Structures are given as structure tokens and as C-alpha cells.
Amino acid sequence: MNNRLKVLRAERDMTQADLAMALQVSRQTINAIEKGKFDPSLPLAFKIARLFELAIEEIFFEN
Amino acid sequence: MVKQDIQNQHQHWQSQQKQKVKTLAVYTALWLVATALLAFGPKYLWDFNALFSIIAAIVYCVTGTAMILANRAHLRSLDELQQKIQSEAMALSLGVGLVFACGYEILHAVRLLNFEPAIAHVVVVMCVTYLIGVVKGEVKYR
């Protein structure tokens, strides 16, 4: 699954560590999601969507 | 939520994780001591006195259970990627351990091994496989 987490994070001037902190996960998890190596669970995807005030489909999309 | 609150929450989560690792280390060490006591105590400390051996067996069970519960608490404190890395490593370790143990026993039964298989060898294989699995996961999701 692809995502535009990196772009959204950059737009808000957030580091991976900032985002990890806001989502209560490790920085490694943010990095793996951004690189498409790891797909987050639905609860975490909702948490990300809420943080960026977007719908899940606006952040994550199929290849 | 202000940034300071988020930072505090994150620090709290990280310190909880560290505490869970420390607890797991303590219970693992206690279980190791209990294992040594049960294995060597009857011969070297209390001359096969049944009462002391029963007490040592109970201590072994209690510390073993505490270690298992501490491990579960540690796993639950991890985030979902860390849990995935752990579960993949444990699956690998379980699979390799099962295949190795069965093969090891069968090779002895068909007289291809000229020494008695020992459970300790299976434990070592499983531990090494688990460590390899964790390192593999850390590299894969780096």
C-alpha cells in the first residue's frame, strides 16, 4: 500500500520523531510506513488520518 | 493537545517500555537461577531430599510463570511494528525448533546419530534462531 505520509509530514514541518511522538509509536515504525515496508493497522491509520485531519483514503491508497 | 503533553505522553510510553524490559530481564534471571537450583541442587546441595526438590520445583514453576507473564506484558507494550518483528521471529524460532527437534530425534532412532539427543540442544537452536529472526526483522523494517 502506498501513502503520502512523508509529504504530509513535510508540509507540516514535522520530523519522523515528531510524528512518532504524536502517534505513540517508534520512529522506526513511521519510517517503515513511509517507505511502504509496513502497512499500519486500521486503528493506527485512523489515528494518522485524525492527526492530519484527512480521510484515510486521502493518505493511503493501493499500488 | 499541546506539544509538551505529547512529549510527556511519549516519554511515559518509552519509560514504560524500558520498565517492562527490566522486569522481563529480572524474571528471566530468577528463572535461570531456579532452573540451576532444580538441576544441580538435589545432587550438590541437599542430597536428593524429596521435600527440598519439591520446593525447588515449585519455585521453578512460579518463576517460569512470572517470566511468561512478564514477556506477555513486554510484548503488549510494544508498538505494532515491533510486535510484528517479534511475532515473525517467534514463528521462525518455533518452526525451526519443531523441525530440528523431530529430525534430531528421528536421526537418533534410525542410528544416524551415535549420541543421545538432549533438549538443551533444541533450546540453543531455538534461541539462536529467535535472535536471527529479530535481527532480520530489524534490518527488513529499517
Side-chain angles (χ1 to χ4, degrees):
Chain A
M1 196 162 64
N2 285 336
N3 66 78
R4 47 189 207 99
L5 205 56
K6 193 173 180 176
V7 175
L8 292 169
R9 184 170 59 73
E11 281 172 1
R12 284 155 183 80
D13 201 21
M14 287 175 97
T15 63
Q16 286 187 340
D18 292 335
L19 187 55
M21 215 182 278
L23 297 169
Q24 298 287 294
V25 295
S26 62
R27 198 195 59 76
Q28 182 192 20
T29 301
I30 299 300
N31 188 49
I33 294 171
E34 281 187 1
K35 287 185 173 175
K37 290 179 177 178
F38 173 68
D39 292 333
S41 66
L42 202 52
L44 183 56
F46 270 116
K47 213 171 170 183
I48 294 167
R50 264 200 305 273
L51 185 78
F52 289 114
E53 295 174 330
L54 294 167
I56 288 179
E57 298 86 344
E58 292 175 277
I59 303 172
F60 298 97
F61 39 91
E62 282 183 282
N63 295 334
Chain B
M1 197 183 288
V2 292
K3 197 169 183 179
Q4 187 58 45
D5 288 341
I6 293 170
Q7 273 179 343
N8 288 344
Q9 270 189 7
H10 195 70
Q11 278 169 0
H12 177 66
W13 176 66
Q14 282 182 323
S15 67
Q16 267 189 330
Q17 273 194 324
K18 281 181 189 163
Q19 187 54 48
K20 296 273 192 309
V21 172
K22 278 184 199 165
T23 306
L24 178 59
V26 167
Y27 282 121
T28 305
L30 286 174
W31 174 74
L32 274 174
V33 171
T35 306
L37 203 62
L38 184 60
F40 303 113
K43 189 176 176 185
Y44 297 109
L45 295 176
W46 55 78
D47 194 26
F48 296 98
N49 180 303
L51 178 65
F52 285 121
S53 294
I54 290 168
I55 291 169
I58 291 169
V59 170
Y60 174 84
C61 289
V62 170
T63 53
T65 305
M67 182 183 69
I68 292 166
L69 294 176
N71 193 31
R72 187 180 67 168
H74 166 245
L75 286 173
R76 285 180 173 177
S77 76
L78 300 174
D79 75 19
E80 53 190 66
L81 176 62
Q82 292 165 334
Q83 285 183 5
K84 185 178 168 71
I85 291 170
Q86 288 293 319
S87 74
E88 284 178 2
M90 284 191 275
L92 183 69
S93 171
L94 179 67
V96 170
L98 185 70
V99 171
F100 175 78
C102 290
Y104 197 36
E105 183 63 34
I106 291 166
L107 288 179
H108 179 256
V110 298
R111 296 179 187 172
L112 277 175
L113 288 181
N114 54 4
F115 58 90
E116 193 73 30
I119 192 81
H121 299 159
V122 180
V123 174
V124 169
V125 168
M126 287 182 79
C127 288
V128 170
T129 311
Y130 169 73
L131 285 174
I132 290 170
V134 170
V135 171
K136 186 176 155 279
E138 291 290 340
V139 171
K140 184 179 172 187
Y141 297 110
R142 193 166 49 189

